[in-house]
Amino acid sequence: MENISIPNKKNKIPLLEVKQLSLSFPQYKKGFEESYIQVIRDFELTIYPGEIVAVVGSSGSGKSLLADSILGILPENAAINGTLLFKGVALTKNRQEQLRGKAISLIPQSVKALDPLMKTGRQVQGIIRDKKDKKRIQEEAFLKLGLAPGTGDKYPHELSGGMARRVLIASAMVSEAQLIIADEPTPGLDELAWEETLSNLKQLSEGNRGIMFITHDIQAALKIADKIAVFYAGETLEIANKEDFSGKGEVLRHPYTKALWLALPENDFKVLKGNQPESEDVFPGCVFEPRCPIATGLCKTNKPDSTMINNGITRCFYA
Amino acid sequence: MGLLVAISIFSFILISNSPVDPVQSYIGAEISRISPEQRTNIEEYWGLHRSKPEQYFLWSKAVFQGNLGESLIYRKPVTDIIWERFSASILLMGIAWVLSGVFGLILGILAGMNEGSILDRIIKSYSFILASTPAFWFGLLVLMVFAAWLNWFPVGLAAPAGSLRGEVSLADTFKHLFLPVLTLSIGGVASIALHTREKMIEVLSSEFIRFARAKGLSGMRLFWRHGLRNISLPAISLHFASFGELFGGAVLTEQVFSYPGLGQAVVRAGLGGDIPLLLGITLFSVVFIFVGNFMADLLYVVIDPRMKTKQAHD
Ligand SMILES: Nc1ncnc2c1ncn2[C@@H]1O[C@H](COP(=O)(O)OP(=O)(O)OP(=O)(O)O)[C@@H](O)[C@H]1O
Ligand code: SF4
Ligand SMILES: [Mg+2]
């Protein structure tokens, strides 16, 4: 196994690098003419060990498919392009198969991810490679996450939503994963469970693990993430540092990120009008142009490239 | 129980209003030889002069005491005939039931796992065609091909004609069962296969299978761990609930193969105006189908943990 323990972050090899990732699905239209709908475009992301990177985007922006792309569990008809590197080595289909569930672990979005006909304890034990100690390891993980003893003997339908989520988190905890992809672990939780889940994630990152924290909850992202990637209609519009979210959002680079920040209750509560475009819609220019308050003619016809600004990345002509 | 009473009343009304004359059925062709007085005597002996509700009451009272009356054409107690015939039928139905369940499940799983492939399309069209093929038609076809042309299997009966009970070898029993079992299981295979296919596709696209794949499971291990249980549960339950169709299929199949089972007896009872036997078998089949449905429900409660706690909460 490759082992990275260089303390200086600048010299570290990234745990995960995603470069120019695109994903599309064939779609049959009238007249049997085949066309593609693009769900992810030129996606960029880098995660270092010990880092939590949030991927923030609204519903349907392609976040779960991003997770599937990294794990290699996309539907068969998906066409994927771009570069995926894990610890500097290309993530081929074969390598994905070897690594998933081991070095790369998923915390799935839905509590329906638990097999309804199997006791939760057994489902978590199935991941543990140490066959002799798996029961003890599972029970310890449950205890650490505040699940009462005996929870492992229950079936998923006997648990509350919050408990089921913790079971899902436990399955990442007992794995030997260096990279954990948490797909929306917080929706539908009450205040307390929300706080707990976030601190559990934070706890997970402490063993030098990298975490990709997929969410549409920008507050949750700001609470624990080091970096925040803003995902919109399949594109990364901005990758900002946590500190950039302050004041009236002057340091933020992209108009969409600013709008997200200003929409928070503790700020102006100013909600941006309109909706994210559908994945069928094709834009020759900037994807955000229809809703952008500072758009110009250039934005309508030309696509802005990702540029590095002030230690962050953005995709806007006027950042 | 309420159902049983309702059905018994319903069939009683149907049969006693039908043009069947029980006296004629009993006497047969010699009806013209008996005098009107003799006829009245018989009717009185059977209670036919009483009102219909009274007749029903007397009959059901006897049924409660385990007495289904005497068959008019076989001249034996109805219960004896039912047991004798049922033991032949249960062999046929039981084997067909197990086979159609196993093969239906396997075909459904194969089709569902390879959705859209040629294999899937073959299994699907095969099932659709078979599901809409009447059992007797298929039975005739099988008879023509395997018994008449190829001469591989006997044309009918449960044992070689003229052989005595106890003398029939296992091989003979098997030979005589083969074609009827084939005919009877064909229909069952189709419905289980189609149902399992749907379920398999649903399970394969479920979140828990996606998660299991994310955990590194694949192929047979994935199927054993998370697939089979989720698929077989509804299939087994459906299969138990299909006792009614099984029984209906057996009636036709036994007729085609002159297999001396309950199905054949019911047809003869109907044609021969044997009211006690007809009513007896009707009641028996209701109980039989009810047992199937009951097992289906029971099985769900026993195997499916979701049902168990739901019951505990009620
Ligand atoms: N197999 C598929 N074929 C075609 N389109 C698909 C397929 N799977 C997903 N999509 C589309 O891709 C888009 C992104 O889906 P995805 O589930 O990744 O969104 P998401 O960001 O995770 O949303 P949510 O916050 O609701 O979980 C959706 O518009 C969806 O309709
Ligand atoms: S490129 Fe133009 S439309 Fe897009 S965000 Fe920047 S200013 Fe707005
Ligand atoms: Mg999602």
Side-chain angles (χ1 to χ4, degrees), chain A residues 64 67-68 71-74 97 100-101 104 106-110 112-118 122-123 126-127 155 157-158 168 171 183, chain B residues 206-218 221 224-231 233-234 303-310 313:
Chain A
S64 295
D68 291 359
L71 289 158
I73 54 168
L74 285 167
E97 244 165 65
R100 66 172 173 245
I104 308 178
L106 172 75
I107 299 176
Q109 175 167 11
S110 162
K112 291 199 193 105
L114 293 169
D115 185 335
L117 298 184
M118 196 189 276
R122 262 198 73 205
Q123 298 196 41
I127 302 158
Y155 287 94
H157 72 277
E158 295 173 289
L168 292 175
S171 53
D183 192 355
Chain B
S206 72
E207 281 293 321
F208 66 85
I209 291 292
R210 172 178 174 258
F211 184 42
R213 296 214 296 135
K215 288 189 287 192
L217 289 175
S218 62
R221 270 185 65 210
W224 277 120
R225 234 180 125 74
H226 297 289
L228 188 62
R229 208 171 341 178
N230 281 287
I231 293 154
L233 190 63
I303 302 185
D304 194 332
R306 286 166 295 191
M307 302 296 279
K308 230 176 277 177
T309 34
K310 212 186 268 171
H313 285 307

Side-chain angles (χ1 to χ4, degrees), chain B residues 273-293:
Chain B
D274 191 341
I275 293 175
L277 186 57
L278 198 56
L279 280 176
I281 296 180
T282 307
L283 281 189
F284 181 80
S285 58
V286 170
V287 171
F288 180 73
I289 292 163
F290 172 77
V291 166
N293 282 308

Side-chain angles (χ1 to χ4, degrees), chain B residues 127-143:
Chain B
S127 302
F128 274 128
I129 292 170
L130 288 180
S132 47
T133 309
F136 73 87
W137 187 86
F138 190 79
L140 288 175
L141 196 77
V142 161
L143 258 185

Side-chain angles (χ1 to χ4, degrees), chain A residues 59-60 62-65 109 183-184 214, chain B residues 210:
Chain A
S59 191
K63 303 184 299 294
S64 295
L65 289 171
Q109 175 167 11
D183 192 355
E184 310 241 26
I214 294 175
Chain B
R210 172 178 174 258

Side-chain angles (χ1 to χ4, degrees), chain B residues 68-116:
Chain B
L68 286 169
E70 188 147 320
S71 160
L72 302 183
I73 48 180
Y74 292 99
R75 311 278 155 114
K76 275 200 283 187
V78 168
T79 36
D80 289 2
I81 296 173
I82 289 182
W83 280 124
E84 188 181 298
R85 292 300 183 119
F86 183 64
S87 49
S89 281
I90 195 72
L91 199 61
L92 170 65
M93 290 196 287
I95 296 175
W97 187 77
V98 170
L99 286 182
S100 61
V102 170
F103 282 107
L105 195 68
I106 292 174
L107 287 182
I109 288 170
L110 284 178
M113 271 185 155
N114 303 290
E115 191 196 354

Side-chain angles (χ1 to χ4, degrees), chain B residues 108-129:
Chain B
I109 288 170
L110 284 178
M113 271 185 155
N114 303 290
E115 191 196 354
S117 69
I118 296 179
L119 181 71
D120 175 37
R121 267 179 280 170
I122 292 173
I123 293 176
K124 212 169 66 178
S125 6
Y126 165 86
S127 302
F128 274 128
I129 292 170

Side-chain angles (χ1 to χ4, degrees), chain A residues 39-256:
Chain A
V39 283
I40 298 178
R41 266 172 238 94
D42 299 332
F43 181 83
E44 307 270 340
L45 190 75
T46 306
I47 301 178
Y48 285 92
E51 205 174 41
I52 300 182
V53 179
V55 175
V56 179
S58 51
S59 191
S61 54
K63 303 184 299 294
S64 295
L65 289 171
L66 176 65
D68 291 359
S69 312
I70 295 166
L71 289 158
I73 54 168
L74 285 167
E76 269 174 32
N77 60 344
I80 183 168
N81 263 307
T83 314
L84 290 169
L85 301 176
F86 185 71
K87 293 188 179 178
V89 183
L91 257 181
T92 56
K93 232 181 147 68
N94 257 334
R95 194 145 175 261
Q96 280 173 328
E97 244 165 65
Q98 281 164 21
L99 295 181
R100 66 172 173 245
K102 299 186 185 95
I104 308 178
S105 182
L106 172 75
I107 299 176
Q109 175 167 11
S110 162
V111 295
K112 291 199 193 105
L114 293 169
D115 185 335
L117 298 184
M118 196 189 276
K119 287 179 178 166
T120 55
R122 262 198 73 205
Q123 298 196 41
V124 172
Q125 286 167 26
I127 302 158
I128 303 167
R129 284 210 273 172
D130 182 352
K131 292 300 164 213
K132 269 180 293 176
D133 256 353
K134 59 184 184 180
K135 191 165 171 64
R136 189 186 51 81
I137 296 173
Q138 170 254 312
E139 280 170 353
E140 266 176 26
F142 275 27
L143 216 61
K144 221 186 267 176
L145 290 168
L147 290 166
T151 309
D153 288 326
K154 291 193 167 153
Y155 287 94
H157 72 277
E158 295 173 289
L159 306 184
S160 70
M163 286 159 88
R165 284 226 177 273
R166 273 178 267 179
V167 170
L168 292 175
I169 292 174
S171 53
M173 207 175 211
V174 302
S175 75
E176 297 155 16
Q178 290 144 301
L179 174 66
I180 291 171
I181 302 173
D183 192 355
E184 310 241 26
T186 54
L189 296 183
D190 61 45
E191 184 84 27
L192 194 69
W194 185 82
E195 298 253 357
E196 272 178 15
T197 307
L198 292 181
S199 73
N200 289 333
L201 281 177
K202 188 90 200 162
Q203 209 179 320
L204 279 178
S205 75
E206 270 152 24
N208 220 21
R209 283 164 152 153
I211 295 186
M212 179 167 149
F213 175 27
I214 294 175
T215 182
H216 59 238
D217 180 354
I218 195 155
Q219 277 166 306
L222 288 171
K223 207 169 158 78
I224 57 166
D226 304 301
K227 276 193 300 195
I228 290 155
V230 178
F231 201 42
Y232 184 81
E235 293 186 15
T236 338
L237 293 187
E238 171 163 3
I239 299 178
N241 299 307
K242 181 167 65 181
E243 305 79 53
D244 302 341
F245 290 84
S246 63
K248 292 251 169 265
E250 296 88 351
V251 203
L252 293 170
R253 299 154 195 84
H254 198 281
Y256 180 59

